[in-house]
């Protein structure tokens, strides 16, 4: 082979970047491939798709193809992996890795982005470690010349974790895990209905050979009665423990029983626990009509959810940046997410940490296994135990330390409101507090507090709320009205019913309500109680947090709507849909949805709309449709936030596109409206709602025993809970409302997601 047959390196730091998917397929992998290809091209690099994983790298030839911009059109919404994955025994041997190295040099590639599990990523880093030795051997055996290998002395490896099990340490979520969880929760919700109808018990087996994340999160999301996970096996007497718990629930009047078993479940002696064993115990000891459902590979299937589309896109884009910024001394990174922040971590450290969990389980050191997973995993396990109304004597407070805690929903309905309320109530019962539901928001409280026989202020029993985890809307009613409508009556009610702590769940109105009550302390001592706000709104526009409960449900509903519109647009080939999103004066929903569906353009209130912007976008549409000669269907989506412009409405923008298209393409309008509030809350909204609900009551407890004046003087006695950067924290209302709130536009002054707008434009090819 002549030296000139190997392409010379690209100028400067530009690279030829290979992208491949390896290991088990996971929804979202295609989004990662699309992001890597388009970001690489946008950065002046060349992108190559390596088909069938490591097998393609070893075989070479047509299994390594240069990928152009349009080659990844439509990838975002597709499940599985369109470039394939396969087990490759050859790559595990040095001879296979020699072939792979030669194929990369022949293509002029010196950077590789791999989306796969820990085994795939470990193999990639080993490949990098051996790289110089492999090249030397290829020269010695005259497979390549020194001149051919000289420009490619260093191999860049970047890992993306694609795994439905969420089994990689150092990251909160792996690509595909929330899509899989959504499939599980949807199945359990369906099973729930038939279980209730026949008073049956169902034993549901989910994936998770070495990791119980899916089983745990499904347990929290669906209110399962018992779960079996590898990291925290049950006691030796698990049969009686499970039966006692299930019998207690049945005696309270519960008609159904759901038990979730991870496929890797075992007891403390590492003896496997199977669904059949669990069924036999429930049938024989409790006499329950028990059925088994094994979900199997349905958990891998289907389109990726909104979160996995967003995650894969952001991580794929970051992977290209990591390639371009790497030096020969940079350890291979893996792209992770911690709470809401995309971060790079050393790949080998993450893999070693992941393997140490399996080793701890094998050594029966389950406390260490839980600790190694991460703090969030342990916290969710605690939330699960609390939210099943189990008897937890260690948590029960003495009578003199118990509180009467009011729970109220404020603002528009949002998915997860009920899950947060259910978890808060469960924690109240576990501690001995009295939860008091304040129905229909502040207007309900003001007008119907003393109604007979049933007023707005009601004590609540566990069976009343036990089934709320999967319910959308608001079971205690919600209202946009604020306490300022009649502060005196609100204070009277708080005093009459001895409300000692207040937990508000809702959007900007709930945030405003806490502000009004805090300021009202000057005149009403009844408000000198601890109060905290859990942001819950589809708009995600509440200061003090980067994530509001309900926003994920909204995004999933919106991308379903957009996918349907795109299918229609693609079928007729020359059609643009201009879709109007909710979000108030915050462009969060429009931007993240744009990231998740590959929108051609996104119009937000923060940026506004002007005639030059529309002119450029219409020109871009003309060029795009002119290039498309029928080789591929090219439906386009433009997203416009409802308040992006008073002048350029959704209909006007569509009319302008129609006018300027001159019949070459057409434009339609889509307005999903309240469809965006969703029906059933997404699993992410359910689990985060449960976590934040428990955390919020724990925060209120800290003020027990303090005088009213001490409470009023403490800035944290009126607070908002939220995710900031890479952690969950409470923020003092006084500071947040004064320095971080744009009251006019009802949104935070600094919106964390604004930087994502550039990625939306880059990956859509929108002209600058």
């Amino acid at each position: 082979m002549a030296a000139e047959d190997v392409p010379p390196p690209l100028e400067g730091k530009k690279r030829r970047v290979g992208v491949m998917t390896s290991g088990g397929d996971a929804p979202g992998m295609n989004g990662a491939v699309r992001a890597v290809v388009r970001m690489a091209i946008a950065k002046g690099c060349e992108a190559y798709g390596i088909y069938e994983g490591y097998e393609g790298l070893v075989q070479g030839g047509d299994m390594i193809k240069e990928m152009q911009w349009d080659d990844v059109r439509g990838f975002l919404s597709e499940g599985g992996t369109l470039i394939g994955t396969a087990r490759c025994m050859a790559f595990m041997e040095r001879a296979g890795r020699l072939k792979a190295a030669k194929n990369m040099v022949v293509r002029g590639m010196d950077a590789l982005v791999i989306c796969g599990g820990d085994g795939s990523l470990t193999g990639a880093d080993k490949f990098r470690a051996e790289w110089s030795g492999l090249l030397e051997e290829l020269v010695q055996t005259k497979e390549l010349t020194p001149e051919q290998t000289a420009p490619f002395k260093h191999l860049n490896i970047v890992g993306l974790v694609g795994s439905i099990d969420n089994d990689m340490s150092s990251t909160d979520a792996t690509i595909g895990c929330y899509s899989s969880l959504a499939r599980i929760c949807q199945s359990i919700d369906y099973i729930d209905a038939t279980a209730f109808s026949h008073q049956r018990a169902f034993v549901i087996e989910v994936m998770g050979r070495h990791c119980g994340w899916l089983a745990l999160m499904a347990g929290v999301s669906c209110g399962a009665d018992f779960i079996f996970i590898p990291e925290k096996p049950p006691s030796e007497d698990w049969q009686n423990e499970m039966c006692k718990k299930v019998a207690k629930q049945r005696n309270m009047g519960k008609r159904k029983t759901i038990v979730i078993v991870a496929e890797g479940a075992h007891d403390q002696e590492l003896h496997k626990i199977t669904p059949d064993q669990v069924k036999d115990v429930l049938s024989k000891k409790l006499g329950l009509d028990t059925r088994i459902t094994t979900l199997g590979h349905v958990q891998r299937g289907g389109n990726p959810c909104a979160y996995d589309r967003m995650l894969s896109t952001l991580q794929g884009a970051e992977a290209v940046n990591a390639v371009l910024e790497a030096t020969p001394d940079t350890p291979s990174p893996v792209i992770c997410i911690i709470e809401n922040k995309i971060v790079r971590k050393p790949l080998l450290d993450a893999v070693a940490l992941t393997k140490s969990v399996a080793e701890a389980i094998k050594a029966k050191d389950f406390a260490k296994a839980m600790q190694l997973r991460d703090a969030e995993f342990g916290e969710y396990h605690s939330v699960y135990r609390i939210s099943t109304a189990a008897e937890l004597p260690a948590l029960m407070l003495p009578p003199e330390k118990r509180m009467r805690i009011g729970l109220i929903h404020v603002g528009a309905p949002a998915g997860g409101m009920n899950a947060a309320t259910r978890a808060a109530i469960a924690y109240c019962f576990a501690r001995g507090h009295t939860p008091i539901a304040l129905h229909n928001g502040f207007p309900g409280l003001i007008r119907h507090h003393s109604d007979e026989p049933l007023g707005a202020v009601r004590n609540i029993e566990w069976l009343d709320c036990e089934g709320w985890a999967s319910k959308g809307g608001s079971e205690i009613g919600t209202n946009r009205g604020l306490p300022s409508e009649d502060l005196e009556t609100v204070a009277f009610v708080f005093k009459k019913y001895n409300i000692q702590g207040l937990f508000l769940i809702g959007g900007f109105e709930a945030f405003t309500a806490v502000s009004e009550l805090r300021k009202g302390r000057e005149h009403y001592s009844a408000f000198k109680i601890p109060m905290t706000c859990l942001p819950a709104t589809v708009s995600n526009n509440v200061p003090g947090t980067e994530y509001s409960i309900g926003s994920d449900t909204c995004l999933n509903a919106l991308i379903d709507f957009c996918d349907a519109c795109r299918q229609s647009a693609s079928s007729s080939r020359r059609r643009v849909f201009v879709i109007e999103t909710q979000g108030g004066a915050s462009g969060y929903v429009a931007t993240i949805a744009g990231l998740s569906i590959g929108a051609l353009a996104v119009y937000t209130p923060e940026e506004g709309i002007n005639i030059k912007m529309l002119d450029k976008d219409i020109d871009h549409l003309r060029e795009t449709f002119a290039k498309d000669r029928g080789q591929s269907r090219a439906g386009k989506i433009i997203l416009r936030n409802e308040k992006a412009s008073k002048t350029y409405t959704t209909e006007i923008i569509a009319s302008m596109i129609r006018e300027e298209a001159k019949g070459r393409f057409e434009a339609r309008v889509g307005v999903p409206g309240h469809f965006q509030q969703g029906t059933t809350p997404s699993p992410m909204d359910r689990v985060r709602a449960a976590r934040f609900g428990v955390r919020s009551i724990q925060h209120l407890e800290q003020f027990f025993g303090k005088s009213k004046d001490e409470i009023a003087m403490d800035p944290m006695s009126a607070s908002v809970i939220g995710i900031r950067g890479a952690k969950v924290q409470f923020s003092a209302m006084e500071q947040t409302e004064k320095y971080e709130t744009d009251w006019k536009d009802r949104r935070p002054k600094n919106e964390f997601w604004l930087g994502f707008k550039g990625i939306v434009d880059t990956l859509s090819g929108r002209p600058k």
Side-chain angles (χ1 to χ4, degrees), residues 290-353:
T290 308
R291 307 293 168 92
I292 294 174
T293 299
T294 299
L295 296 179
H297 281 75
V298 72
Q299 296 160 84
R300 285 196 187 279
N303 299 341
C305 67
Y307 183 82
D308 279 326
R309 298 187 193 195
M310 177 192 75
L311 181 66
S312 60
T313 300
L314 293 177
Q315 290 191 336
E318 180 65 10
V320 174
N321 291 332
V323 163
L324 296 177
E325 293 167 17
T327 69
D329 300 322
T330 307
S332 295
V334 60
I335 311 298
C336 302
I337 185 165
I338 306 295
E339 299 297 357
N340 251 17
K341 197 170 181 63
I342 302 291
V343 295
R344 302 176 198 171
K345 296 206 172 182
L347 191 154
L348 283 184
D349 291 356
V351 169
L353 203 56

Side-chain angles (χ1 to χ4, degrees), residues 302-588:
N303 299 341
C305 67
Y307 183 82
D308 279 326
R309 298 187 193 195
M310 177 192 75
L311 181 66
S312 60
T313 300
L314 293 177
Q315 290 191 336
E318 180 65 10
V320 174
N321 291 332
V323 163
L324 296 177
E325 293 167 17
T327 69
D329 300 322
T330 307
S332 295
V334 60
I335 311 298
C336 302
I337 185 165
I338 306 295
E339 299 297 357
N340 251 17
K341 197 170 181 63
I342 302 291
V343 295
R344 302 176 198 171
K345 296 206 172 182
L347 191 154
L348 283 184
D349 291 356
V351 169
L353 203 56
T354 301
K355 289 183 175 175
S356 64
V357 178
E359 289 164 6
I361 291 171
K362 194 174 179 181
K364 303 180 188 176
D365 191 346
F366 305 115
K368 185 178 180 183
M370 288 293 288
Q371 182 187 355
L372 287 169
R373 270 284 171 239
D374 59 38
E376 189 185 75
F377 190 91
E379 186 178 352
Y380 274 121
H381 190 267
S382 297
V383 167
Y384 167 73
R385 289 178 65 238
I386 290 163
S387 63
T388 54
E391 290 182 9
L392 303 168
L395 285 180
M396 188 64 72
L397 292 168
E400 66 274 10
K401 289 190 177 181
R402 298 172 188 174
M403 300 170 69
R404 290 173 58 80
I405 296 176
L407 303 104
I408 190 167
H409 295 176
V410 187
M417 277 183 158
N418 293 317
T421 308
R422 174 186 181 273
I425 290 169
Y427 183 76
C428 283
F429 286 143
R431 298 287 274 171
H433 302 310
T434 302
I436 301 156
L438 308 176
H439 285 254
N440 302 317
F442 284 103
L445 186 74
I446 291 165
R447 291 166 201 155
H448 303 289
H449 57 87
S450 297
D451 285 3
E452 297 292 345
L454 201 61
V457 183
R458 307 176 203 169
N459 283 12
I460 193 161
E461 300 300 326
W462 175 242
L463 208 60
D464 297 333
C465 69
E466 189 278 329
W468 287 4
S470 59
K471 286 188 179 291
S474 167
E475 290 294 304
I476 65 171
T478 186
N479 203 300
R480 291 183 184 273
L482 295 169
S484 53
E485 184 180 314
D486 189 347
L487 271 177
E488 188 173 349
T489 300
V490 175
F492 165 77
V493 174
F494 279 20
K495 186 174 181 181
K496 177 181 177 180
Y497 292 97
N498 190 25
I499 304 296
Q500 297 170 309
L502 185 66
F503 180 34
L504 302 92
I505 306 172
F508 202 88
E509 290 86 358
F511 180 82
T512 306
V514 176
S515 176
E516 290 182 355
L517 294 172
R518 183 190 68 77
K519 292 171 183 173
R521 287 169 170 173
E522 188 178 342
H523 304 288
Y524 303 101
S525 65
F527 300 149
K528 293 179 178 179
I529 59 173
M531 55 186 83
T532 194
C533 168
L534 169 55
T537 167
V538 300
S539 304
N540 198 21
N541 64 333
V542 180
T545 187
E546 295 177 4
Y547 177 89
S548 297
I549 302 300
S551 59
D552 187 64
T553 299
C554 169
L555 286 167
N556 278 293
L558 184 55
I559 67 166
D560 284 347
F561 183 89
C562 291
D563 282 351
C565 290
R566 188 189 289 280
Q567 186 179 66
S568 169
S570 296
S571 298
S572 57
R573 204 164 63 79
R574 294 182 172 273
R575 181 175 291 171
V576 181
F577 267 90
V578 184
I579 295 173
E580 182 173 295
T581 75
Q582 288 187 338
S586 169
Y588 172 83

Side-chain angles (χ1 to χ4, degrees), residues 135 160 670:
L135 295 195
L160 302 175

Side-chain angles (χ1 to χ4, degrees), residues 6-29:
V6 176
L10 297 175
E11 293 178 11
K13 290 202 71 174
K14 293 172 182 176
R15 297 276 181 269
R16 289 189 184 87
V17 183
V19 60
M20 61 185 277
T21 52
S22 181
D25 65 295
M29 280 183 161

Side-chain angles (χ1 to χ4, degrees), residues 70 73 573-574 618-631 634 636 664-665:
D70 285 342
R73 179 189 290 170
R573 204 164 63 79
R574 294 182 172 273
I618 292 171
D619 281 346
H620 181 46
L621 278 169
R622 283 200 201 97
E623 290 169 16
T624 302
F625 282 118
K627 284 180 194 171
D628 179 35
R629 303 292 181 187
Q631 302 97 324
K636 301 295 179 188
R664 284 172 291 181
F665 51 93

